[in-house]
Amino acid sequence: MIPADLPPQRAAVLAFLRGELAAGRAPSLAEIAAAFGFSSRNAAQKHVQALLAEGLLEQVPGRKRGLRLPGGDADLLPLPVLGRVAAGQPIGADIGLDQQFWLDRRLFALRPDYLLRVQGDSMIDDGILDGDLVGVQRTPEARDGQTVVARVDGELTIKRLQRGPKRIRLLPRNRAHAPIEVRPGQDFAIEGVYCGLVRPG
């Protein structure tokens, strides 16, 4: 419930923030200002500070997007979106995207460290679609058959790992795409393993 004694605009800001945070998004002051047509971030900051002072929001210290709902986030993980990963031909990652989501850890089989936005359709038979956010746990190791985020010649792709006695292949899950054969001496590394996904919208 939104307290009845809140000024109407502050109540609207609180309702907006509750909706965004419940959906796993932690908006910035600039985004709050844009949503309400404020001329500057200062107006948004005044509302946020007042809501924090009244205990209607909480702030995670040291986080740029650290707003959260009070008392109910024990199972939420703050996950940054670090860029894009190809479900198709490898693409470069846009490291440093300024976006973060608070997501229920129970959405993921493993605990992810970050999110990547999928571009392409090579993994659709595994239910990984263009535009999905995939959770990735950082690790340089993976088992045969796991879905991994791999770096090939400096670019990232998400594929199923196939380890053979003499070769490594990265397998798509769409017959329209060919496997990626990792050649001896080629720049190749496993960046992490797939933990699960979130479909925005």
Side-chain angles (χ1 to χ4, degrees):
M1 294 290 291
I2 292 178
D5 59 347
L6 276 184
Q9 192 170 61
R10 189 157 299 156
V13 170
L14 177 59
F16 168 75
L17 289 172
R18 283 182 174 177
E20 291 292 291
L21 294 169
R25 297 182 291 268
S28 67
L29 291 174
E31 289 166 346
I32 298 167
F36 287 90
F38 298 149
S39 58
S40 73
R41 291 184 297 178
N42 290 340
Q45 187 169 19
K46 286 179 182 177
H47 286 295
V48 168
Q49 291 298 331
L51 294 169
L52 289 168
E54 294 183 41
L56 298 169
L57 290 175
E58 291 180 355
Q59 176 84 39
V60 180
R63 287 199 178 273
K64 185 175 182 182
R65 292 172 178 262
L67 293 177
R68 65 183 180 185
L69 298 173
D73 66 343
D75 290 319
L76 294 182
L77 292 172
L79 295 172
V81 180
L82 293 187
R84 298 173 298 145
V85 63
Q89 294 301 308
I91 59 173
D94 303 321
I95 299 303
L97 291 187
D98 186 21
Q99 194 172 21
Q100 177 174 280
F101 291 85
W102 287 81
L103 297 174
D104 192 327
R105 70 184 69 218
R106 293 168 294 188
L107 292 171
F108 302 98
L110 301 170
R111 183 185 174 117
D113 295 302
Y114 59 90
L115 301 169
L116 291 172
R117 191 177 302 279
V118 174
Q119 181 173 311
D121 64 357
S122 73
M123 298 298 287
I124 58 174
D125 289 348
D126 278 355
I128 300 172
L129 308 182
D130 185 64
D132 286 349
L133 291 170
V134 293
V136 182
Q137 184 180 77
R138 282 192 185 93
T139 176
E141 303 293 333
R143 300 186 310 274
D144 182 53
Q146 278 188 296
T147 298
V148 300
V149 171
R151 178 167 43 81
V152 182
D153 293 333
E155 298 181 328
L156 295 180
T157 188
I158 182 167
K159 296 287 185 290
R160 195 174 289 190
L161 180 67
Q162 183 184 68
R163 289 187 182 276
K166 295 185 178 180
R167 66 178 180 178
I168 294 174
R169 302 172 85 210
L170 299 172
L171 305 179
R173 299 293 292 151
N174 177 345
R175 291 182 181 178
H177 292 262
I180 296 172
E181 306 277 350
V182 180
R183 301 182 305 275
Q186 187 174 13
D187 175 31
F188 168 78
I190 293 169
E191 297 287 340
V193 295
Y194 168 75
C195 302
L197 64 81
V198 176
R199 188 156 295 146

